[in-house]
Structures are given as C-alpha cells and as structure tokens.
Amino acid sequence: MMKTADPTLIFLGLVGVLYFLIAGVTLKRRGFREWAVDLLGLYFVLSFFLTLGQVLSRLGWLAFLADDVLARVPLYGLLLLSLLFLHLNRSFLRLEGAGWSWWALGVAWIAAVVVLNENLLALPQVLWAGKGWSIQRQGIGFSALVFGWGIFMGGATLLTARAYRRTQQPLHRNRITYWSLALGLTIASAALLFAGREPLDSGFHLLGTLIAAYVVLTYRLPDVRQMARRTVSYLIITLLTVIIYTAGFLLMEYVFQSVPGYSPLLVGATMALILAILFDPLLGLVQRLVNRLISGAGYDPRRMLREYSMSISNILHLERLAMVAVGLISEAMGSQRGALFVVHYEKGGKDGSGYFRLRGVTGRGEDLSPGVLSFESPVANYLRLKNRPLTQYDIDLLPRFRETSPAERAWLANLDMDVYVPIYAKGEWIGLLALGPKASGDRYFDDDLVLLSTLADQTAVALKNARLFGDLKIQNVENERLNKELTAANRELARLDQAKSDFIDIASHELRTPLTQVYGCTDILSEMIKDGSLTPDTGLQLTQGIRKAGRRLKEIVDIMFDVSQLDTETLVLNASLTSVASIVSMAVGVWATALEERKQTLTVEGLEDLPLITADGRRLKQVFSHLIQNAIKYTPDGGRIQITGHLLDGGMLSQDQTIEVVVADTGIGIAPDDWERIFEKFYRVGDIMSHSTGKTKFKGAGPGLGLTIARGIVEAHGGRVWAESPGHDERTCPGSEFHVILPVQPRCMESAGSETFVAAVRADTGSDQPLLVS
Ligand code: ADP
C-alpha cells in the first residue's frame, strides 16, 4: 500500500538537501576568511547530519535505537551547534586568538551532558531525595544541556552586542545587524525545539544558518538603515498617491459631474496621468525629506562643490586649508571629525624600500600621530594608484588588504576614520582626506564617495601650494637654526682667539719679569768679569738670581702647557693605586718653609683611614699643592689651615664610593658670587696685595690659572671641586673651604689599570677679565 506523502518529511528532506549543497559551496569558497568559512562548513555539515537523522528516524530506519536515545540525539546536536555558533561568532567578529578556553569548556560540558543523560556512570535514577522533593538524574542532565546551550548562545549574544557597541563604523554595524538576525533566528529555533514545535524549529534554524552564511561569505551587504529608509519612503509615497488620487478623483467628480459626456473612467485616467507625471519628482522629494529627517544632513552636490572650490582656492596655510576643507565637508556630510594628511614619499626605509610619511593636520590644533605606510603596503598601493576613496571597512575585511602590517593597521585603527580619499597632483599621491563616522550613524553612500573624490581633486592645487609654503617655512626654520649654529661657532672662534691673545698677554707679562732678571744678571756678570771686580760671593749671588729666574720661567711654561692641554682636551693622566694621605703630605711638604715664615698652623685629619684610590698621584699633588698655596696666600699670618678627609658612601657598590678632601683656612674668604668664577681662566678677586699679608714670594702661582688647572685635573679623574666660604663677611676672616671629591675607582680608569690614558677635559673658559700680573 502506498503511504501518503508526509509533508514534514518532504520539508525536512528539502532542508537536508539544502544544508548539503550549501556545505559544499561553503567549503569550496574557503580562502575568503578561512577560519570562519571552515567553521561555517562544519556547521552546515552538522546541521545536515542532524536533519538526515530526523528524516531517517521519521522513515523508521533508526528503529534499532531506543526511543529516548532518538529523542536526545537532536538535543546533543543542538548543544554542539551552539558551541560551533559561538566560535563562528568569534571569528566573524574577528576576535583575537582561537578561544581555546571556550573550546575546552564546550567539549567538557558536552561530554558531561552525554555522560549524565546516557548514564554512563550507572548513577541511580534519583540522585537526591529530600522531604517531598528529589533530584532526578535525567532532570539534571536535561538542565545541564539547556544551561550549556544558554552559556554558549548567551556568550555569542554578549560578544555581538559588545562588538556593536564598540564600533562606530556604520558598515561594521550593518554587518553585525545581519548577524544579530541570524543569532536571533538560531536562538528562536532552539527555543522551538525545546518546546517540541517540530519541524518549525528546522525552518528557523535553516533561515538563521542561511543568513549567517550570507553574512560570512558576502562582503557588501545591503544597508539595513537605507533599506528601512527606502521602505518608509515608498510607504509614504504610496499613501500619498492613494490620497492624491482619491482626493483628485472626488474633486473632479464634484466639478465635472454636471458636464455632459462626463465619464468616471475618463476622470480616473486623467488622475492616473497626472500622478504618473508627478510620481518621480514626488518620490525624490519624499526620499530627500525622509533622509534629512532621519540623518539630519543633506547637501546639494553642485552647490557644495562651488562653495568648496571658492573657499579653499587662495589658502596657503596648511592648518587653515585643513580647517576650511574638513570643516565644509564635515558640515555637509555630517561627519564627526576629519583631517587632511600631507603625504611625502621618502626613499629608503629600514629595508631599503621607499615609504610614505603621512602628517595629519586637523585644522583644530589637534596633533594627529604621524603615520608611515611602506611603499609595498596594500593600503598605500591602493591609495597611490586607485583614484577612489577607501573605507576603513574595506581595509578591515577585504582579502586584498590582509597583508597590511599590524603597525599600519594599528595606526589606521587609532585614527578612527571611516573613509580615506586620496589627493593627487600630476599623478603623484600628495595628500589624504580622512573623514570620521557621520554623526547620524550612516555610512558614506556611493554618492558621498563620488562627491568626495571630486572635492579631493579640487583640493589638489591648494594642497600643493600649502605644502610648498610649509616646506619653505620649515626650510626657513632650518636656516635660522643653521644661522644660530654659525653664530655660536663664530663666538667659539672668537673665544679661542681671545684665549690665544690672553696667552700671548700672559707670556709677555709673565715671562718678561724673569727674562729681565736673566738679562740684568748676565749683564752685570759680564761687566764685572770685564773690569775684574767679580768676587766669588757676587758671582754666586748673580748665578743664583739667574737660576731663580730660570725656574720661574719653567714654571710659567709648565702652567701654560697644562692650560693648553685642558683647552685642547688632551690632558694625559698616569693612573695608579695612590694614597691620598701621602699625596697631601707631599704637597704640604712643599710649603713647609712658607708655613713656618707665616706662622701658620696646618693640620691634617682623617686621611690615613681613606682607601687607596686609582689616580694620577703627580697631578693630584699639583692640585693639593695649589690649594694649600692659595690657603697660605689668602690667610693672615698666624692663621690656621685644616685639611680633612672622609669617605662618602656611594651606596652598596664599592665602585661608586668617593672620598672628599676639604682644604679649609681662616683667611679672607671668598664672596659667594666668586665661588664659581674663581675657577674661570684668568679670574682673580680684586688686588691680592690688598688682602694678603704675605711677604713671602710663592712659586707656582699663575695669574688666575691655578684653580682652572686644579678643576681640570680633578674632573679628568671623574671628580668635582668647588669653593665655599661659609659666613663670608668683608670685615672678618671667615676663611674659605675647597672641597675636592674623587672617586675611589674612577669609571674612566676602570679598564686602564696603571696604564696611561688620555682624559677629555673641558676647562672653564671664556673669562674676559683683564690680566693682573703679580
Ligand atoms: P692664582 O694662581 O692667581 O692664585 P687661582 O686660580 O689659584 O689664581 O685663584 C683665583 C682667585 O681665587 C684668586 O685670585 C683669589 O682671589 C681666589 N682664591 C683662591 N684661593 C683662595 C683662598 N683660599 N682664599 C681666598 N681667596 C682665594
């Protein structure tokens, strides 16, 4: 006996065939957005098998399975499908990573549900029984299934809602709107299945899956908002047509009723004719009205173009050009923001290939981070060659932009613009107009993009001029900088020149005295020899005078040589492990007689306990000798000089340890203004004879060069030296303190050990003080 065809069976059969076909098509189209397409294929395959199962069970071919198992299989399928849907959702939204935790949770959950429902652990039927209530194993199993499904679909819903909220891009939002529809239908289908409304659930599921496939596989989706707007326009126009027709008809009937030969047919035809003529302009009007009402923006392209080219034609200033151009366009199109980028091609990036440097000007004083697009980058390729706007949506989704580097992608994403319109001058890409999302939430329609291209063409000349103007300004700034450098170099030359003449001055002044002495002595000597009046005593006296003058000459030459080494930064130090105590004691030894003559007491404290330091002992002796000499010189007879030393802890690292030696006296002191100046070349405070009570002639003192040399030597060791005169008062003798800080192990000498090395020393220079020669 022939069975009557079961419509549900036929329906399910058709659904199954559809899944099968689409699974095939989907898997063939892999390569578009691979992971999403793979998942989609899998989704279809699973849906196909589930439908096949339903068909077979209806045909009774699965009778060998127990009824309850047969009833549960679709539910397991549903749970698996929801897990797949969640992942499909993730890859559709282009979320980072593969979501392994979701996979793990999903698989574990499904396994647990199957174990519970199929009772693989042989649990009792009633898991828990309380007073008047009990927990059934099957109840738990079913709840876990529904709950798992809820988690996966809930997760998908949350992710979708979040992505919608986060993106401002209307095209992305449009895509997500479609996806939400697929999501809604899929959820509804599951709800229908739980409610046992078969085969309606299969229909919903099919529809949801088809929409999901459409969204994943199609790049340009019809604009939902625009469709809604069109529908509203058509509804309004239909309504209007009916109203006009009826009103016109009634009016004509009323007017022409009494006219002989009146025919309602004729009136109807006339009204139809009038409406046919009116329909088109009326539709345009209604559409414009609806657009303006909904999106709040609207413009007349011709007027806009005229206004635009008039406004920007004479602008030379880039900021102003950006302000006017972006301002006008934003106002017309309702864009929230925009910027004008100046594009410069530069040869030779890191890998030798060229790149484009994009500098953004908003015209509102905002600073946009400059961008770099490599010459080979797909985005740059498009912008420099295709005379067409590019949308951020394209960059995000189109396979041709997939190779865009993460840095370029990040920069573009950071700009948060919707559309980029290239500007060319003589075929060369020179600028980019970027516009942010419209305030209305609309995308940039094709008409907008055409107008934007034309506006970009209009901007080309103005932009080129502004760029030239900007380049000139930059050149100007560079020239000014070079000029400043030149002036500084000139000043330095003048300083060196001054230093040179100072030297000549010192030479002439300082050398003259001993030289005259030499000449004088030798003259007397020769005269006395000639007339035979030379006694051995006088001869000895005269040769001693010549010797003293010769020694002075040598000292002066030495000092000048030191200063010239400091000037040319070529002071050579011989480093070795040295004891500061012995250096100071040697330096003190030099001045023992002078101290005695001046009845001054000199005490040394705390130097013995200091660690050995790596330094040039001879040079350090020179430093301390000079400080002691000064102390003697500027302290009245009977005064005190105290040298103290202590270790400064440089922290845990012994390498950073330093020692401090202070040479203090009870002399005339130094005014705070001079604390630094006395280290400058040739600087001396006032007339020393008015201060010093000294009668002793000291050797070694230069005309204001001693402290300059001392500082040069200390700094070459990586140390510091400075002067203080606490409680300085002109009338009293407050005394001076000279602090010398020296590193125990100077970094510059770490590898040198005891070898000779050249220290780069920058001496204090540039004093224009007049020379005071002692
Ligand atoms: P000079 O070789 O002429 O002494 P310095 O460079 O050693 O030159 O010193 C520069 C100036 O610093 C001196 O002219 C003096 O005025 C001042 N000065 C140096 N040491 C002391 C000191 N211990 N007390 C007071 N003034 C000092």
Side-chain angles (χ1 to χ4, degrees):
M1 199 182 87
M2 274 255 305
K3 270 189 189 173
T4 43
D6 177 357
T8 311
L9 197 62
I10 296 174
F11 173 70
L12 286 177
L14 278 175
V15 170
V17 171
L18 257 174
Y19 279 134
F20 184 73
L21 287 178
I22 299 173
V25 173
T26 309
L27 291 176
K28 260 195 94 171
R29 279 202 56 179
R30 294 175 68 214
F32 176 58
R33 289 187 52 74
E34 271 124 11
W35 185 222
V37 178
D38 282 350
L39 279 174
L40 193 69
L42 207 62
Y43 195 79
F44 272 115
V45 171
L46 191 64
S47 304
F48 165 72
F49 279 117
L50 281 176
T51 319
L52 187 69
Q54 269 173 294
V55 172
L56 292 183
S57 85
R58 271 184 180 270
L59 286 172
W61 292 3
L62 299 178
F64 59 91
L65 287 170
D67 269 0
D68 58 331
V69 174
L70 218 51
R72 281 195 302 266
V73 170
L75 294 176
Y76 296 152
L78 187 75
L79 191 57
L80 192 55
L81 278 177
S82 66
L83 179 64
L84 277 181
F85 193 91
L86 173 69
H87 285 279
L88 191 57
N89 204 136
R90 283 178 52 88
S91 71
F92 165 79
L93 295 174
R94 293 173 300 133
L95 298 183
E96 295 285 313
W100 289 118
S101 39
W102 275 109
W103 278 117
L105 174 74
V107 171
W109 197 282
I110 293 171
V113 165
V114 173
V115 165
L116 266 177
N117 278 317
E118 302 310 320
N119 202 11
L120 299 181
L121 295 178
L123 296 171
Q125 197 57 33
V126 177
L127 292 177
W128 183 273
K131 269 189 198 151
W133 60 279
S134 61
I135 297 179
Q136 305 279 331
R137 178 182 55 77
Q138 265 174 340
I140 289 270
F142 186 71
S143 310
L145 192 140
V146 176
F147 191 62
W149 172 86
I151 289 180
F152 301 143
M153 291 317 274
T157 313
L158 279 180
L159 286 179
T160 311
R162 200 182 59 178
Y164 188 86
R165 251 201 338 270
R166 282 196 182 165
T167 182
Q168 291 295 316
Q169 307 268 334
L171 287 168
H172 280 304
R173 285 196 155 187
N174 188 43
R175 217 167 151 255
I176 298 175
T177 310
Y178 278 90
W179 187 260
S180 315
L181 197 64
L183 183 69
L185 284 167
T186 310
I187 293 176
S189 80
L192 287 171
L193 180 70
F194 290 139
R197 301 291 303 273
E198 288 173 22
L200 197 59
D201 68 308
S202 300
F204 270 66
H205 190 261
L206 176 71
L207 210 59
T209 312
L210 285 180
I211 294 178
Y214 176 61
V215 183
V216 170
L217 297 176
T218 318
Y219 165 67
R220 288 203 186 279
L221 297 162
D223 189 339
V224 177
R225 289 170 67 107
Q226 209 179 15
M227 282 194 313
R229 216 168 295 169
R230 286 226 174 104
T231 315
V232 171
S233 300
Y234 277 106
L235 281 178
I236 292 177
I237 196 79
T238 313
L239 205 70
L240 265 180
T241 319
V242 172
I243 292 171
I244 294 174
Y245 185 86
T246 321
F249 191 88
L250 289 177
L251 190 74
M252 283 199 186
E253 198 175 42
Y254 178 72
V255 175
F256 298 111
Q257 219 171 22
S258 46
V259 176
Y262 162 78
S263 143
L265 206 65
L266 203 67
V267 173
T270 317
M271 266 326 289
L273 193 71
I274 294 172
L275 273 178
I277 296 166
L278 276 184
F279 188 81
D280 223 32
L282 208 61
L283 180 65
L285 184 79
V286 169
Q287 270 179 342
R288 260 205 304 282
L289 272 175
V290 168
N291 276 353
R292 193 159 298 180
L293 236 118
I294 295 179
S295 58
Y299 55 86
D300 173 1
R302 255 167 302 170
R303 224 187 63 204
M304 163 87 202
L305 205 58
R306 218 175 27 247
E307 219 172 273
Y308 185 81
S309 47
M310 258 164 46
S311 310
I312 63 160
S313 59
N314 285 327
I315 301 178
L316 268 183
H317 216 281
L318 201 61
E319 274 286 334
R320 211 179 133 57
L321 177 67
M323 191 176 79
V324 174
V326 172
L328 280 174
I329 297 176
S330 300
E331 196 186 326
M333 304 219 166
S335 321
Q336 284 171 325
R337 62 175 174 281
L340 184 67
F341 285 87
V342 186
V343 180
H344 277 283
Y345 176 69
E346 281 173 38
K347 283 196 193 109
K350 276 179 216 129
D351 52 355
S353 62
Y355 58 91
F356 294 97
R357 187 177 288 285
L358 284 84
R359 188 166 66 87
V361 196
T362 56
R364 290 186 211 147
E366 258 176 78
D367 248 5
L368 285 179
S369 64
V372 172
L373 296 180
S374 92
F375 188 75
E376 296 305 330
S377 124
V379 176
N381 245 331
Y382 185 100
L383 290 172
R384 82 190 156 85
L385 297 176
K386 302 250 187 277
N387 200 349
R388 248 180 290 142
L390 174 64
T391 58
Q392 181 64 41
Y393 181 74
D394 287 336
I395 301 172
D396 289 341
L397 287 189
L398 277 192
R400 64 178 295 177
F401 295 111
R402 203 177 291 156
E403 298 303 315
T404 308
S405 74
E408 291 178 6
R409 244 179 225 292
W411 178 70
L412 289 166
N414 199 31
L415 290 179
D416 198 14
M417 296 290 181
D418 239 18
V419 62
Y420 307 96
V421 198
I423 302 172
Y424 307 90
K426 291 194 185 130
E428 185 200 347
W429 178 33
I430 60 158
L432 188 71
L433 200 63
L435 291 175
K438 290 184 181 182
S440 62
D442 270 328
R443 67 188 172 103
Y444 285 87
F445 300 112
D446 291 346
D447 292 348
D448 294 337
L449 296 183
V450 171
L451 179 67
L452 280 176
S453 275
T454 320
L455 292 177
D457 288 344
Q458 298 281 321
T459 320
V461 177
L463 180 61
K464 202 168 168 94
N465 288 342
R467 252 171 58 136
L468 276 177
F469 187 70
D471 287 352
L472 271 179
K473 268 197 340 201
I474 291 171
Q475 192 59 49
N476 211 17
V477 170
E478 177 66 7
N479 283 349
E480 265 172 31
R481 192 185 61 78
L482 287 177
N483 212 7
K484 268 194 199 133
E485 274 182 17
L486 202 69
T487 318
N490 271 339
R491 216 177 295 134
E492 179 68 7
L493 269 180
R495 191 189 63 76
L496 286 176
D497 200 45
Q498 180 63 42
K500 207 175 73 191
S501 22
D502 287 344
F503 255 80
I504 294 167
D505 279 354
I506 309 169
S508 52
H509 282 277
E510 286 285 306
L511 298 177
R512 194 168 291 146
T513 321
L515 265 181
T516 318
Q517 204 176 343
V518 171
Y519 273 118
C521 287
T522 43
D523 283 352
I524 299 170
L525 207 58
S526 57
E527 282 300 320
M528 289 181 104
I529 291 172
K530 263 188 222 157
D531 59 25
S533 62
L534 184 71
T535 61
D537 267 2
T538 343
L540 200 64
Q541 249 180 354
L542 288 169
T543 47
Q544 266 174 356
I546 296 173
R547 195 174 161 67
K548 201 171 156 195
R551 207 168 48 221
R552 178 71 188 143
L553 280 173
K554 184 179 176 302
E555 280 165 7
I556 293 167
V557 169
D558 281 351
I559 285 176
M560 284 176 15
F561 186 60
D562 283 351
V563 173
S564 99
Q565 275 184 321
L566 290 173
D567 270 351
T568 50
E569 301 181 356
T570 53
L571 185 76
V572 178
L573 297 182
N574 292 309
S576 61
L577 268 186
T578 320
S579 142
V580 185
S582 65
I583 290 173
V584 170
S585 130
M586 278 193 285
V588 173
V590 176
W591 302 105
T593 329
L595 283 164
E596 222 170 274
E597 281 179 20
R598 301 282 304 275
K599 299 189 180 59
Q600 291 168 333
T601 47
L602 188 147
T603 52
V604 181
E605 248 175 64
L607 294 186
E608 294 295 340
D609 308 332
L610 295 179
L612 294 182
I613 65 166
T614 305
D616 183 332
R618 195 178 65 82
R619 286 294 187 182
L620 283 192
K621 183 187 152 200
Q622 194 182 340
V623 171
F624 287 111
S625 168
H626 190 77
L627 294 182
I628 296 167
Q629 180 194 16
N630 277 352
I632 298 173
K633 218 186 329 181
Y634 301 106
T635 303
D637 287 358
R640 272 177 294 112
I641 298 166
Q642 195 177 25
I643 303 177
T644 44
H646 51 271
L647 187 65
L648 299 178
D649 202 0
M652 296 297 281
L653 289 173
S654 63
Q655 269 189 333
D656 290 336
Q657 276 186 333
T658 51
I659 57 162
E660 180 176 24
V661 180
V662 183
V663 180
D665 58 48
T666 54
I668 57 170
I670 308 161
D673 280 353
D674 290 324
W675 289 357
E676 262 311 298
R677 281 197 224 142
I678 52 172
F679 289 95
E680 287 175 8
K681 233 193 260 176
F682 310 122
Y683 188 83
R684 307 183 70 198
V685 184
D687 174 9
I688 68 157
M689 292 320 285
S690 67
H691 299 296
S692 176
T693 54
K695 297 173 196 112
T696 319
K697 285 263 175 240
F698 297 110
K699 59 174 190 162
L705 286 173
L707 287 179
T708 311
I709 296 173
R711 178 170 267 187
I713 292 171
V714 171
E715 285 182 354
H717 281 82
R720 285 184 301 130
V721 52
W722 72 94
E724 281 174 20
S725 187
H728 177 77
D729 182 341
E730 292 288 320
R731 291 153 302 179
T732 59
C733 266
S736 317
E737 280 179 10
F738 282 81
H739 295 249
V740 180
I741 301 261
L742 287 166
V744 171
Q745 176 62 61
R747 286 191 189 279
C748 50
M749 296 186 192
E750 261 163 39
S751 55
S754 63
E755 290 159 33
T756 304
F757 75 102
V758 179
V761 179
R762 186 82 193 99
D764 270 319
T765 49
S767 165
D768 292 326
Q769 294 301 311
L771 272 181
L772 294 174
V773 181
S774 54

